[in-house]
Amino acid sequence: MADSSESIHELYDLAVVGCGPAGLAAALNGTIRKKKIILFGTDFCSPKLHHAPKIENYLGLPNITGEELRKKFLAHLQEVKLKVNQNKISGIYPEGENFTLQSRDKFFKARAVILATGVNTVKPIQRELDYLGRGVSYCATCDGPLYKDRKVIVLAYNRDGLEEANFLSEIASEVLLVPLLKEEEAARVRLNEKIKVVKGKAMGITGEMWATGVALEDQQLTADGVFIVRESVLPDQLVPGLKVGSQGIEVDRWGATNIPGVFAAGDCTGAPYQLSKATGEGQVAALSAAKYLDELKSKVKEDRPLATV
């Protein structure tokens, strides 16, 4: 049911990032409220649910397996003709009263956003966040042109990182690739012969005012810039300015974040990590987003100048 053919020129009412129970519930309820939805997720929505041998506390469905419930969720989306867009979102930025969602070299636009990215297990390496935007980047397509004819390091935690290294090899004078994924996964991507592979565990970013390298366990690499490519991005790096506490994204009772038009639901907002909580918060966030969109539409009408004769 996955699809990635949506036009990047369309303006959606609501973009839902994440296709676990919270994201699916949000997309479904947004659709029921007659909003134009785009749902971003992986090619296999909710592996966590898939691996659950039995779910005993989901009201009305006793002793159902996680996989059975996952299929029911996806079947419900098919009923309302909702598809999953597999473009990985690497950044969400306000643009007037709308938002631009970036995925490598593609851009999507929406009036409101719901984050349902699940529990984020990303652990930044030492000083990574200190240098973000100052020599450290998560997107080669976005920032690669800044390093034309310069030396860069790519820390690749997945296959996308290897592809980003190939992309950068056509721009930079030298690319040092540190593969941090399983060897069998790395073997599936053919690397440009210009890329130099350096094996080791990344410990931290080095530099002074600007990042100038990466410290591995047994050696020091130097470069003009560092690209870090992982499966997911920290929420406050995905949406600059987003308020995140020790438990997760900070939201109010209605799923609203500190950024108007951005809502969050599910495990990314903190414990308890329960299925019913996730689906319930997804519904609440969708209702809140729908209300926000309706109010936005009313404001536009009120601000429109009266016709003169």
Side-chain angles (χ1 to χ4, degrees), residues 45-177:
C45 292
S46 195
K48 182 178 177 181
L49 191 57
H50 166 72
H51 290 297
K54 185 180 290 187
I55 296 172
E56 298 179 322
N57 63 348
Y58 199 75
L59 186 63
L61 297 171
N63 299 318
I64 191 170
T65 68
E67 177 60 9
E68 288 171 337
L69 187 56
R70 189 185 76 87
K71 288 180 177 179
K72 286 181 178 292
F73 285 172
L74 296 178
H76 198 163
L77 258 66
Q78 288 180 327
E79 286 290 325
V80 296
K81 296 180 171 56
L82 261 176
K83 296 180 180 180
V84 179
N85 186 302
Q86 292 181 33
N87 283 286
K88 177 186 172 185
I89 300 302
S90 58
I92 300 173
Y93 310 99
E95 188 176 290
E97 290 187 335
N98 301 322
F99 295 90
T100 294
L101 295 90
Q102 184 170 12
S103 173
R104 296 190 73 176
D105 58 343
K106 293 185 178 181
F107 296 87
F108 303 85
K109 294 186 181 297
R111 293 187 172 91
V113 176
I114 294 177
L115 302 173
T117 52
V119 175
N120 199 305
T121 58
V122 171
K123 292 184 178 180
I125 59 177
Q126 188 176 7
R127 304 207 68 188
E128 173 183 330
L129 300 183
D130 295 338
Y131 287 108
L132 188 61
R134 294 190 294 120
V136 170
S137 173
Y138 295 140
C139 180
T141 309
C142 321
D143 299 329
L146 298 174
Y147 296 92
K148 180 176 174 60
D149 298 327
R150 301 173 76 181
K151 181 179 177 182
V152 299
I153 298 168
V154 178
L155 303 182
Y157 289 81
N158 56 23
R159 290 174 62 185
D160 285 345
L162 306 183
E163 298 291 356
E164 295 280 46
N166 278 334
F167 171 78
L168 287 165
S169 70
E170 301 298 329
I171 299 173
S173 61
E174 185 177 356
V175 176
L176 302 181
L177 170 65

Side-chain angles (χ1 to χ4, degrees), residues 11-303:
L11 175 61
Y12 294 89
D13 291 321
L14 180 59
V16 179
V17 182
C19 66
L24 296 179
L28 172 66
N29 283 278
T31 300
I32 291 172
R33 290 298 300 270
K34 308 298 183 184
K35 305 305 178 187
K36 186 176 181 181
I37 306 290
I38 184 166
L39 171 63
F40 294 97
T42 61
D43 60 350
F44 191 87
C45 292
S46 195
K48 182 178 177 181
L49 191 57
H50 166 72
H51 290 297
K54 185 180 290 187
I55 296 172
E56 298 179 322
N57 63 348
Y58 199 75
L59 186 63
L61 297 171
N63 299 318
I64 191 170
T65 68
E67 177 60 9
E68 288 171 337
L69 187 56
R70 189 185 76 87
K71 288 180 177 179
K72 286 181 178 292
F73 285 172
L74 296 178
H76 198 163
L77 258 66
Q78 288 180 327
E79 286 290 325
V80 296
K81 296 180 171 56
L82 261 176
K83 296 180 180 180
V84 179
N85 186 302
Q86 292 181 33
N87 283 286
K88 177 186 172 185
I89 300 302
S90 58
I92 300 173
Y93 310 99
E95 188 176 290
E97 290 187 335
N98 301 322
F99 295 90
T100 294
L101 295 90
Q102 184 170 12
S103 173
R104 296 190 73 176
D105 58 343
K106 293 185 178 181
F107 296 87
F108 303 85
K109 294 186 181 297
R111 293 187 172 91
V113 176
I114 294 177
L115 302 173
T117 52
V119 175
N120 199 305
T121 58
V122 171
K123 292 184 178 180
I125 59 177
Q126 188 176 7
R127 304 207 68 188
E128 173 183 330
L129 300 183
D130 295 338
Y131 287 108
L132 188 61
R134 294 190 294 120
V136 170
S137 173
Y138 295 140
C139 180
T141 309
C142 321
D143 299 329
L146 298 174
Y147 296 92
K148 180 176 174 60
D149 298 327
R150 301 173 76 181
K151 181 179 177 182
V152 299
I153 298 168
V154 178
L155 303 182
Y157 289 81
N158 56 23
R159 290 174 62 185
D160 285 345
L162 306 183
E163 298 291 356
E164 295 280 46
N166 278 334
F167 171 78
L168 287 165
S169 70
E170 301 298 329
I171 299 173
S173 61
E174 185 177 356
V175 176
L176 302 181
L177 170 65
V178 183
L180 299 166
L181 66 166
K182 294 180 179 178
E183 288 188 11
E184 56 267 30
E185 283 293 308
R188 296 178 184 177
V189 177
R190 184 174 181 178
L191 296 174
N192 188 309
E193 60 184 14
K194 292 168 58 178
I195 295 171
K196 180 181 178 181
V197 177
V198 182
K199 294 188 177 181
K201 182 179 179 181
M203 305 302 292
I205 305 298
T206 58
E208 293 183 5
M209 294 298 293
W210 193 268
T212 56
V214 174
L216 302 183
E217 280 184 310
D218 57 355
Q219 62 178 304
Q220 174 74 42
L221 305 180
T222 60
D224 299 301
V226 180
F227 291 86
I228 302 175
V229 186
R230 297 190 181 93
E231 287 296 338
S232 56
V233 179
L234 292 166
D236 50 344
Q237 303 308 321
L238 183 66
V239 188
L242 183 70
K243 194 170 183 180
V244 177
S246 59
Q247 299 300 313
I249 301 172
E250 294 189 4
V251 294
D252 65 13
R253 176 68 179 82
W254 309 106
T257 71
N258 64 304
I259 300 176
V262 177
F263 304 83
D267 289 355
C268 64
T269 65
Y273 305 118
Q274 295 289 319
L275 178 59
S276 295
K277 169 186 175 286
T279 54
E281 286 188 352
Q283 180 177 18
V284 170
L287 295 176
S288 298
K291 182 181 178 182
Y292 167 83
L293 290 166
D294 291 342
E295 291 174 348
L296 200 64
K297 187 176 181 180
S298 297
K299 180 178 180 297
V300 170
K301 288 183 178 179
E302 290 173 2
D303 291 344

